[in-house]
Amino acid sequence: MNGIKRRQFLSQLSLAAVGTAISSKLNASSFLISKPSLVEEFVETETSYGKIKGYRTEGVNIFKGIPYAGRTSGERRFRRPAKLQPWTGVREALTLGAPAIQAPRRNEPEPSEDCLFLNVWTPANDNKKRPVMFYNHGGGFVIGSGGSAGQDGANLARNFDVVVVETNHRLGLLGFLYLDEIAGPEYAGSGNMGLLDIIDGLKWVNKNIAQFGGDPNNVMIWGESGGGAKTSCLYAMPAAAPYFNKASIESGPGVRMMDKDTAHENTLQLFNELNIPVNNWQKILEVPASDLLNMQAKLPFVPPFQEKNKNQGTMRRNAGGFGPVVDGKALPNHPFDPGAPAISRNKPLLVGWNEDEYTFFAWERKDADSFKMDFEGLHKKLEPQYGPDTKKIIATYRQARPNATAPDIFVAISSITMMGLGSIDIAEKKARQNGAPVYLYNFGYKSENKIPGTDYAMGTPHAMDISFKFNNEVPPKNGEPTKPSFFGGNRPERFTASHNFAELWTTFARTGKPAAKNAPTWPAYNLKDRATMRIDTELEVINNRFKEEVEMWRSIGKTLN
């Protein structure tokens, strides 16, 4: 009973919910890539499909909207893309390509089923063999694109001499509808089309990135939120294995994905809602994409991970929603269950989360009440999820954090159960492999921005790390006034924290070991010291952080994610 309630609680905090929030709120902000404002010159380069033209600005060559695979509409819906046809002449790569089907995105083209485009930022097209940072965007499995300005790659390329690549790929129902059991062999892998699209992007990088000054033999995959879950899956997929060398999973630990039985139930539920008999399944190919999007919105979101039923050793069922499927083929196993994937044993890994993940959701939901409660109110708030364990949970947190208020403890509990325990689980399983190192982190720079309707600071909310690790929190140029960051606030100290984050990540991309000039040595995670790097204006290694809290979660049978 209590486990089910916890599961329902966590489902409400799913990455899909994150995606909805980012879509409706951040899209309306300055979080999007704007049109080129200062084009110094146009730049042409060859690809395996033909010549393209990008532009250079402030020391970075930028190419947007490059097609990396063919059509996914029409008879290619739910299937692998059509072969991309070469072009003659010079194709312009100056503006973003269409994002996947979703609600319209401000400053981006109209969403389209034909959405397989990518963007590249590079210091120069000079065959220099820079490390390649291949980013998987967030937004759960339902929204987002490689065109959000918080993840604009220009500063990383300019300031740290790397090449940044970001893709658009199929999402939601059109990217993850599991048809393997009712359609023909042409639809094999249908439950993972969105992931297989990303792999096509990695294949494009392998063939072409040398022309952009990148090293095809030194590719890092990374992603936040839903992008972290996608990265978790790619880390376990045989088709992806030849095309990347290291990975980072940020605030999106995808320990387990959806099993085939649940995915099939979701498919049957969809066909029932559409009044399409399963034996006439082809009719779904005729349904307009807009209608499918409307239907997708009526069905439950898929959670970012699937929690194991401790007593039965099976997955808890949660029909509804669309996300990656453990189909035994494209995704042979759960990414990190029962252990870290053997296929990536020799690939270094970064994994971690933000200290105050939950405040993002409070902001998105206009939840002011959670920040006005006392400890009696905290018990009442947690008891529906944790039942008789509630008293022990609160007591453990009050002992570990004697100066914490009731809202402080609520944020800490919500944040670690959402993203922290799964991140620790991944680090421990990777460490047990005795292969390539794994590094655990917490991002902790505190924003002074208040949650609306409260005097409570957001701290380090979910998604705030995006602009920091992309080094997009930088001082203004030419004496311009400092503009406040959407999440990061207005204090100039954020520029130092952003540089720290970006330097650690780009060094990891270059060498497989995160490091920075002003940082202590970051030890690989092991089961004795459990070293964690806390990222802020100062960088600090903390051994066995949250020891008391994690031991308590284990003692009450809370699986790590």
Side-chain angles (χ1 to χ4, degrees), residues 48 58 72 81 185 206 258 269 379 470 505 512 524:
S48 53
E58 298 182 322
T72 51
N206 184 261
M258 192 183 303
Q269 181 180 356
H379 191 281
F470 274 92
W505 258 238

Side-chain angles (χ1 to χ4, degrees), residues 179-200:
L179 295 171
D180 290 33
E181 296 183 28
I182 63 174
E186 291 179 335
Y187 292 85
S190 55
N192 290 302
M193 284 296 134
L195 294 174
L196 293 171
D197 291 343
I198 297 174
I199 294 173
D200 282 341

Side-chain angles (χ1 to χ4, degrees), residues 33-39 41-45 52-66 92-96 118-125 152-155 157-158 164 212:
I33 293 176
S34 60
K35 295 179 181 179
S37 57
L38 180 62
V39 176
E41 62 178 323
F42 292 107
V43 181
E44 294 184 0
T45 193
I52 59 172
K53 179 170 71 174
Y55 62 96
R56 185 168 184 81
T57 181
E58 298 182 322
V60 180
N61 293 350
I62 302 173
F63 301 83
K64 298 179 183 177
I66 306 171
E92 288 193 348
L94 305 174
T95 58
L96 297 172
L118 56 78
N119 309 313
V120 180
W121 294 262
T122 180
N125 293 67
D152 183 292
N155 282 339
R158 176 186 305 109
V164 181
F212 296 80

Side-chain angles (χ1 to χ4, degrees), residues 17 19 27 44 47 66 83 92 135 163 167 216 235 278 284 288 293 304 314 317 335 374 455 484 501 522 526 541 557:
N27 249 3
E44 294 184 0
T47 76
I66 306 171
K83 185 177 180 180
E92 288 193 348
Y135 190 72
V163 178
T167 68
Y235 200 71
V278 173
I284 197 171
L293 182 62
T314 59
R317 307 298 278 275
D374 56 17
D455 290 325
F501 208 149
W522 185 348
N526 62 61
V541 174

